[in-house]
Amino acid sequence: MDPRFVGHVHALRLGLTDPRFAVATVPGALTAQPEARAAVLGALRTAVAAVGAGVGTGSPVAPPGAEPAAEDHTVPGRLAAALDAEGTAVQRPELGSLTAAVPDGPEDRAAVRSAVAAVDDEAVRLRSAVKAHDGFFTTFFISPYSRYIARWCARRGFTPNQVTTASLITALIAAGSAATGTRGGYVAAGVLLLLSFVLDCTDGQLARYSLQYSTMGAWLDATFDRAKEYAYYAGLALGAARGGDDVWVLALGAMVLQACRHVVDFSFNEANHDAVSNTSPTAALSDKLDSVGWTVWLRRMIVLPIGERWAMIAVLTAVTTPRIVFYALLVGCALAACYTTAGRLLRSLTRKAQRTDRAAGALADLADSGPLAQAVAAVVRRPGGGFTAPLLALAGALVLVAAALFVPYGSWLTVGAAGVYAVVSGLAVSRPLKGALDWLVPPVFRAAEYCTVLVLAARSDVPHAVPAAFGLVSAVAYHHYDTVYRIRGGTGAPPQWLVRTIGGHEGRTLVVAVLAALLTGASAFTTALTALAAAVALVVLVESIRFWVSSSAPAVHDEGELA
């Protein structure tokens, strides 16, 4: 750090204490994580040789689209320029109204100090702790005060992981309150669910406020939201059962619909993450609507993001019944799914984008194809054509779900339909998923698997079969969310041995169909579903925990999805 540095303390925090970047710099200061220190030593030798020869080391590299950065002649600036020249990525955080400079003389120093005094860096720090793009309810009803809770936690040494855990515990207590089946329990559950959401917002704001990003934090934040929501669904179903109303099918349906909504978002984003010529009239219209402030908030509310969704669940729990809560969830999420999926279809059909190998690989990983589908894909190739992959996936899914719905329960025809689905799903992924609508393949697979488990459990008329199916879908959904966040972290999908061990989507579906055909006793099907759920959960949780606590996982903090 140059001893002449003048600037805001928070500018230094942004440049020197963020663990996500191996090397980071602001004017007059530079920091390096252990893995980049050898590169810094090499850059130091380069800079010393350049100074001795009376030549510069090059100008700092500006971010894409930004104005070229002014050359920094300080030692940290020379080191950053040398690192850039040698191919080491150097993070230069956007400082906005914050000041960081190395003045040359007394007049410059006075001007810089005046600029520092004119901006309250603590106010900037608090504002930047709030996520830039959030839902209406979160932005206007939670963040105005949760940011101060985050600062309170930071000043008392609490970590984001501790707040995340507190949010989970609060949500589990809320689920337990709902499970009592009493009006007082429902009111307490609604209040506690809102409190859990406040803490859920606080943990991310605390991470941004104090720059405490970690591998464990990424894993906890990425998965606990789903665990809290699904545990609350189970609590509502248990509470309704105490009052004589069986709503387990509605609870599982709400979970299936929400999980399928998410995988539509994930697949579309991964397919277009780095697409070439990624433009469309629909996207241009969306950009125009963004210039009208109220339409932005309206469109964010239409998709029923987590803030609006949890607020609706909490209020309806307190004043109505679990059945009404689930009806509202199913209707609201279905409308949101139609809106978002229609928009994505229009964008995909009207843009002229070229999908990359990386995008195709991500979609293949999200497809979660097991040994059966992989064996089919290895020996047979699907016909050419831009829409053959989603059409094949959809055809196989329709055959499977129709058999589960309409064929007599326990018939081996359903097993045959599951076999057809395995073959067709293998054909769908037998070529790289680079078509305009190939991002639909993973969501179709998710819907086919989850809906088949739901329908077979509901039609079995076996006691507690649907709660057991709820557990199985929860375990499988966790695996799919874990896959998404590993891809987002840049470390790739879970290892192939894990996918093979738990059978892939087509293998698990076939197993459930066989169990339904074989086990028609009073409790055998429930026992089998419970055992399968426990086995899948054990394997995926052990591997997921091992990965996220290991040093190989990226130091990131997920800001969460709107939906």
Side-chain angles (χ1 to χ4, degrees):
M1 182 170 178
D2 193 295
R4 299 168 296 169
F5 175 87
V6 177
H8 288 103
V9 174
H10 193 53
L12 286 178
R13 288 193 191 98
L14 292 172
L16 304 182
T17 65
D18 194 326
R20 296 174 296 174
F21 307 107
V23 182
T25 186
V26 293
L30 180 138
T31 189
Q33 301 291 338
E35 63 269 22
R37 288 176 185 166
V40 172
L41 288 176
L44 180 60
R45 287 190 288 268
T46 300
V48 169
V51 171
V55 298
T57 55
S59 300
V61 176
E67 292 295 327
E71 188 168 354
D72 184 353
H73 293 286
T74 65
V75 172
R78 288 179 176 272
L79 288 177
L83 286 166
D84 280 326
E86 294 171 5
T88 299
V90 179
Q91 168 67 10
R92 292 177 173 83
E94 292 289 339
L95 299 181
S97 59
L98 297 175
T99 299
V102 180
D104 291 329
E107 292 184 1
D108 290 340
R109 180 174 295 274
V112 173
R113 284 179 174 173
S114 176
V116 171
V119 176
D120 183 354
D121 69 336
E122 179 61 17
V124 174
R125 189 182 184 191
L126 272 174
R127 286 198 304 271
S128 61
V130 177
K131 193 161 58 173
H133 302 287
D134 221 329
F136 179 86
F137 180 78
T138 304
T139 300
F140 294 102
F141 292 92
I142 304 297
S143 294
Y145 57 87
S146 62
R147 69 183 74 182
Y148 295 101
I149 300 175
R151 181 171 67 180
W152 183 89
C153 292
R155 292 178 175 178
R156 283 155 183 80
F158 292 107
T159 66
N161 293 349
Q162 291 171 334
V163 178
T164 302
T165 304
S167 175
L168 174 65
I169 293 172
T170 304
L172 293 179
I173 296 173
S177 299
T180 62
T182 64
R183 178 52 53 196
Y186 290 149
V187 172
V191 173
L192 288 169
L193 186 64
L194 286 177
L195 176 59
S196 174
F197 182 64
V198 172
L199 293 173
D200 183 56
C201 295
T202 300
D203 66 355
Q205 292 166 358
L206 175 58
R208 288 183 287 273
Y209 180 86
S210 56
L211 299 177
Q212 297 184 69
Y213 304 106
S214 68
T215 57
M216 180 64 75
W219 175 62
L220 294 177
D221 193 63
T223 57
F224 275 16
D225 280 352
R226 305 287 81 77
K228 289 180 286 189
E229 190 166 4
Y230 299 158
Y232 193 82
Y233 292 175
L236 282 175
L238 289 170
R242 286 178 177 271
D245 188 14
D246 186 354
V247 297
W248 274 106
V249 170
L250 297 178
L252 181 50
M255 182 170 71
V256 168
L257 180 55
Q258 189 59 26
C260 290
R261 282 186 63 201
H262 276 134
V263 77
V264 166
D265 295 338
F266 296 144
S267 294
F268 180 80
N269 291 336
E270 287 301 324
N272 295 282
H273 182 269
D274 49 6
V276 180
S277 302
N278 198 1
T279 59
S280 75
T282 309
L285 175 61
S286 179
D287 292 339
K288 290 181 179 179
L289 290 174
D290 285 342
S291 63
V292 183
W294 66 269
T295 66
V296 175
W297 295 116
L298 179 62
R299 286 183 292 139
R300 291 185 188 179
M301 293 173 67
I302 288 174
V303 301
L304 203 64
I306 187 170
E308 278 77 355
R309 191 166 68 251
W310 282 28
M312 181 185 73
I313 293 171
V315 172
L316 290 179
T317 299
V319 301
T320 64
T321 65
R323 180 172 289 273
I324 293 176
V325 173
F326 286 124
Y327 281 154
L329 262 176
L330 288 167
V331 171
C333 289
L335 291 175
C338 291
Y339 170 77
T340 55
T341 304
R344 283 161 170 71
L345 285 171
L346 285 173
R347 290 189 181 208
S348 300
L349 292 172
T350 56
R351 67 173 33 137
K352 302 298 182 181
Q354 297 179 6
R355 294 329 191 280
T356 63
D357 291 338
R358 176 203 169 279
L363 290 179
D365 291 333
L366 290 174
D368 191 35
S369 300
L372 295 177
Q374 291 176 359
V376 172
V379 297
V380 184
R381 288 290 184 267
R382 72 170 186 264
F387 303 119
T388 54
L391 287 176
L392 282 169
L394 182 60
L398 289 176
V399 168
L400 175 63
V401 176
L405 276 170
F406 302 115
V407 170
Y409 177 78
S411 170
W412 285 92
L413 289 176
T414 305
V415 177
V420 171
Y421 171 72
V423 173
V424 173
S425 64
L427 284 174
V429 297
S430 60
R431 295 181 187 272
L433 298 173
K434 292 187 176 183
L437 297 181
D438 284 2
W439 57 270
L440 285 171
V441 171
V444 170
F445 287 165
R446 295 297 81 74
E449 179 182 3
Y450 298 166
C451 289
T452 300
V453 174
L454 167 61
V455 171
L456 290 178
R459 294 190 64 199
S460 69
D461 288 329
V462 176
H464 310 302
V466 181
F470 189 97
L472 175 59
V473 174
S474 298
V476 175
Y478 176 87
H479 163 62
H480 292 144
Y481 281 110
D482 187 52
T483 301
V484 167
Y485 289 109
R486 291 198 198 201
I487 293 172
R488 283 186 169 184
T491 57
Q496 274 298 304
W497 69 261
L498 175 64
V499 177
R500 289 194 295 267
T501 299
I502 61 176
H505 67 94
E506 81 291 350
R508 289 186 298 269
T509 305
L510 182 60
V511 167
V512 172
V514 170
L515 292 175
L518 287 175
L519 307 175
T520 56
S523 61
F525 188 50
T526 298
T527 302
L529 285 180
T530 303
L532 182 59
V536 172
L538 178 64
V539 173
V540 299
L541 280 173
V542 168
E543 163 57 21
S544 177
I545 293 171
R546 181 209 64 76
F547 170 79
W548 286 107
V549 301
S550 70
S551 58
S552 62
V556 298
H557 181 83
D558 181 71
E559 292 195 343
E561 291 293 316
L562 275 180

